[in-house]
Amino acid sequence: MNTSFIVSLDQGTTSSRALLIDHQGKIIGMEQEEFEQIYPQSGWVEHDPAVILQSQLRVFEKLIKNTKVTPDQIVAIGITNQRETTVVWDSETGKPIYNAIVWQDKRTAPFCEKLKKRGLTDYVRKNTGLVIDSYFSGTKIKWILDNIEGAQEKADKGVLRFGTIDSWLIWNLTKENVHVTDYSNASRSLLFNINTLEWDKKLLSELEIPASMLPKVFPSSSVFGMYELNGVKIPIASVLGDQQAALFGQACLKKGDAKNTYGTGCFLLMNTGKKPQFSKNGLITTIAWGVNGKVRYALEGSIFIAGAAVQWLRDELNVIESACESEKLALSLDVENPVYVVPAFAGLGAPYWDMYARGAIFGLTRDTGKAHIAKATLDSLGYQVKDILQAMQSDSGIKLKCLKVDGGAAANNYLMQFQADILNKNVIRPKSIESTALGAAYMAGITVGMWSEDDILKSRTVDKIFEPNVSKQLRNKMYAGWKKAVKRTMNWECN
């Protein structure tokens, strides 16, 4: 039996997972636990940071128990996490002063408008690569400081700490000794200068956030601290935001390589190489990772609601009992679907960036049934990816020959075929769709000398290639209907 393993902690928006990966990059075991989503008001989304921590520790413990691996066989831990979700805690007590404000949360939209009116849009784009939007962490920190009694005073005294979920986990895994993050997560904060690789003093001043709150930033391939398990100290040897981890896990290591992850949200990233490339089409510029003394950048299009739309079918509409049933329903409808679902439940991300859009269903008739709505919901994922890919190709000047895919919904054959059809490109699904967790593991392996980038390229194997199979006329007709539907959802909350 191989005696060297890496544990990947994959802390996502709806669940915490732990995976055990061997020297060949094979997943030996996996444990997962969902946790509560908290909706205090319309448009607000929160998590309990203590619940996240405990769920992550529990799946780690179950993984060790069920795989019968010993702590001394674990050479490193890699962490990948939901990005932008914001935790502020008291460094003296170690306790959060408020729930984690999740990346989907829209409460800071009015403050974002104020920042735009101050003329900060161009400065933010040029220095952080981002747009001013409630999606990112900075305005969430500001909300907590402004709305939680005594928070600003504690922050000014240097007592409070801010972190995305990676920082919160490491603070606790290292027994409150280390306050750190990596380039990829820092670049999602609206506060980090991706050109100088430092926290941006002007933006900290504009948002009245003391620098003492912020974690120290390291390359993604670093030893961030040590986790002690039964007397054995294991290095935390990588940290990557989930989408950057998936880009790395899909071996998109060269300029122009791209992947799309179908998770709670949907995220299309393209490796743009050594220099940041700024978008003219509503995409954001982000740091992909830092490894071996080099920083790599990416263009990204963010779709807020993807797999979450399938959960909506299951949990709120009761159209399906399980996610896999959506594929069966979609395939049962063998005629052209006149129904469009625009799942703008948390506004629209790239390339629209409309915080005030809301979800809608169009094209309903008396004979509309569950199959129509299920199929239209899956189709909405494919349409949104097409929106982003068109913008990405325009910005980069690179026409993709194919799209690599991963994430839970990539297992849906109907969706993958529709994606190929609407893009008119081959869609390549790997044998393991756990690219996010594998990306964190690969990065940790590089840190401790287990793997090289060449090893990662060799390890990727293809499960299936989906080839486009519809006419240009039908493709254009379907997409025109989608664009019409999107237009009618925009600025809903403003009118």
Side-chain angles (χ1 to χ4, degrees), residues 310-330:
V310 180
Q311 290 179 321
W312 167 73
L313 288 177
R314 181 192 69 189
D315 299 338
E316 272 68 49
L317 295 191
N318 296 317
V319 167
I320 55 176
E321 293 184 1
S322 64
C324 62
E325 192 180 334
S326 64
E327 180 180 356
K328 295 178 183 178
L329 275 176

Side-chain angles (χ1 to χ4, degrees), residues 70-91:
T70 59
D72 60 343
Q73 292 177 296
I74 303 171
V75 296
I77 296 169
I79 292 177
T80 182
N81 57 285
Q82 54 168 314
R83 305 170 302 172
E84 299 94 19
T85 295
T86 298
V87 186
V88 174
W89 67 93
D90 187 314
S91 64

Side-chain angles (χ1 to χ4, degrees), residues 195-305:
N195 304 300
T196 64
L197 303 180
E198 296 175 339
W199 295 112
D200 191 285
K201 293 180 181 178
K202 176 179 174 62
L203 292 173
L204 289 176
S205 176
E206 290 283 351
L207 273 70
E208 298 178 293
I209 297 172
S212 60
M213 291 184 68
L214 306 177
K216 189 172 181 179
V217 187
F218 288 91
S220 313
S221 174
S222 301
V223 175
F224 291 84
M226 307 296 286
Y227 174 61
E228 188 170 329
L229 181 62
N230 297 335
V232 177
K233 291 185 177 181
I234 306 169
I236 300 170
S238 74
V239 170
L240 280 166
D242 53 10
Q243 301 313 315
Q244 288 94 329
L247 190 69
F248 198 77
Q250 283 272 35
C252 295
L253 307 180
K254 297 178 182 178
K255 184 176 180 178
D257 288 347
K259 69 86 201 177
N260 189 54
T261 297
Y262 302 82
T264 302
C266 203
F267 301 88
L268 181 57
L269 273 74
M270 175 188 284
N271 185 331
T272 58
K274 299 177 182 179
K275 295 181 180 180
Q277 189 164 341
F278 296 94
S279 174
K280 297 178 181 179
N281 294 285
L283 304 182
I284 60 175
T285 304
T286 194
I287 295 178
W289 51 71
V291 60
N292 294 330
K294 300 175 183 177
V295 176
R296 291 292 182 269
Y297 294 87
L299 277 173
E300 176 177 335
S302 308
I303 297 166
F304 297 148
I305 301 294

